[in-house]
Amino acid sequence: MAMLTYFQATVIGAVQGVTELFPISSLGHSVLVAAWLGGDWQELVTESESTTRTPYLAFVVALHVGTAVALLGHYRRDWLAIVTGLVTTIRTGRLDTVSQRLAILILIATVPVAVLGPLLQHPLHALFAAPVCAATFLVCNGVVLVIGEGLRRRNEPSLAEYGRRYARRQNHAGARTATAPPRRQADRPLAALGFGDAFGIGAAQVGALLTGFSRAGLTMVGGLWRGLEHEHAAKFAFLLATPAILGAGVLQIPELIGPETAGIRGPVLVGAVVSGLSSWLAVRFLERYFQTRTLLPFAAYCVVVGAFSIIRFA
């Protein structure tokens, strides 16, 4: 592949870190930014389209791992409670707390992308990584975000309703709702999701294998469709993204340490660090943003940028 410079790795890492969590497609932006800049930037992407062994895609996955590490650090208390809850559930066979139920929901929601991701990631990237394809799917991503807002307005339950639904499930299971630690009460809306809801939201992630669709955006729309508020849909999306992108990184380890990437490991490391830092800033911002605001500004951005890119590259 074309030699990846430290400057390129830094720029792409910063873009990836922000766009992975903003609902505007990180992979789509990695293609479009390179295409708009042209020259050596575009060569990085075009060479990756010609083979299923793609060092540039491995570089992008390394950036995703940087994002995953940032998410693990930001939600470290949540993940400690979730992992502890999963171990307790396996040991006791019960779902007595919010954390235990959330652990099972995340496990169920991860199944679709865990099964289909390894099969479809390389073929779909090679087929649709052209800038005009990424731009078209970016416009489609914006339309999906608008649809998600419409679904939220149609199915806008209150937090009290979620609490009652969760309490009914706990009482039906013979569990005491008081067993949930007080600091976990804010996650009751997430724990109130059904297992089918979790699987459907997880299935939405698969759409992000198409360059231009956002993993966070599709997952959030799935959450809004099932009645979550924006802040809860965003948190579930960020929690759900962590095992998915870490798993993708593990699958790419042989390629990252293979001879194809021998000359770019330094820039890859720098890019991953920059990606992690920008992701940490992004998740802190988005947590506050989605307490009071919607997906519509991101939808408008996707449609406008995608439309201009279609005109430019068609």
Side-chain angles (χ1 to χ4, degrees), residues 48 50 64 66 79 83 88 92 97 114 116 119 153 172 177 183-184 186 191 214 221-222 235 246 252 261 279:
S48 74
S50 62
H64 288 178
W79 277 111
V83 172
T88 302
T92 65
T97 69
L116 296 177
L119 298 176
R153 290 184 173 87
H172 179 72
T177 57
R183 71 177 180 83
R184 303 293 303 159
S214 165
V221 168
K235 182 172 183 178
L246 275 178
Q252 291 291 335
T261 58
S279 294

Side-chain angles (χ1 to χ4, degrees), residues 135 138-143 146 298-308:
L138 188 63
V139 171
C140 294
N141 184 73
V143 173
V146 173
F298 301 107
Y301 170 86
C302 290
V303 171
V304 171
V305 172
F308 273 108

Side-chain angles (χ1 to χ4, degrees), residues 9-123:
T10 301
V11 172
I12 297 173
V15 171
Q16 144 66 29
V18 172
T19 56
E20 177 67 28
L21 301 182
F22 279 55
I24 56 176
S25 179
S26 61
L27 190 54
H29 275 74
S30 71
V31 171
L32 291 176
V33 168
W36 275 100
L37 293 174
D40 292 339
W41 299 79
Q42 176 62 13
E43 195 175 343
L44 291 171
V45 177
T46 55
E47 285 190 8
S48 74
E49 298 171 22
S50 62
T51 176
T52 57
R53 293 189 60 82
T54 54
Y56 181 75
L57 182 57
F59 164 64
V60 172
V61 172
L63 302 185
H64 288 178
V65 173
T67 296
V69 172
L71 289 174
L72 282 172
H74 183 75
Y75 289 115
R76 59 191 179 279
R77 293 185 179 89
D78 295 270
W79 277 111
L80 178 60
I82 289 168
V83 172
T84 302
L86 179 61
V87 172
T88 302
T89 297
I90 293 173
R91 189 177 68 249
T92 65
R94 295 170 60 90
L95 294 175
D96 292 341
T97 69
V98 170
S99 296
Q100 286 176 285
R101 186 171 179 86
L102 189 54
I104 298 301
L105 292 173
I106 290 175
L107 191 64
I108 292 172
T110 303
V111 169
V113 75
V115 173
L116 296 177
L119 298 176
L120 299 179
Q121 182 175 6
H122 281 302

Side-chain angles (χ1 to χ4, degrees), residues 187-202:
D187 288 340
R188 281 188 179 277
L190 298 183
L193 289 171
F195 296 147
D197 296 336
F199 186 85
I201 295 172

Side-chain angles (χ1 to χ4, degrees), residues 167-249:
R168 286 196 299 270
R169 285 179 176 155
Q170 292 294 79
N171 291 332
H172 179 72
R176 295 182 303 170
T177 57
T179 57
R183 71 177 180 83
R184 303 293 303 159
Q185 300 305 310
D187 288 340
R188 281 188 179 277
L190 298 183
L193 289 171
F195 296 147
D197 296 336
F199 186 85
I201 295 172
Q205 280 194 110
V206 177
L209 297 175
L210 295 171
T211 305
F213 278 103
S214 165
R215 182 197 311 273
L218 293 176
T219 311
M220 282 193 65
V221 168
L224 296 176
W225 169 55
R226 301 316 301 160
L228 294 179
E229 297 289 343
H230 288 91
E231 60 182 310
H232 298 106
K235 182 172 183 178
F236 193 67
F238 298 151
L239 290 174
L240 191 56
T242 306
I245 57 184
L246 275 178

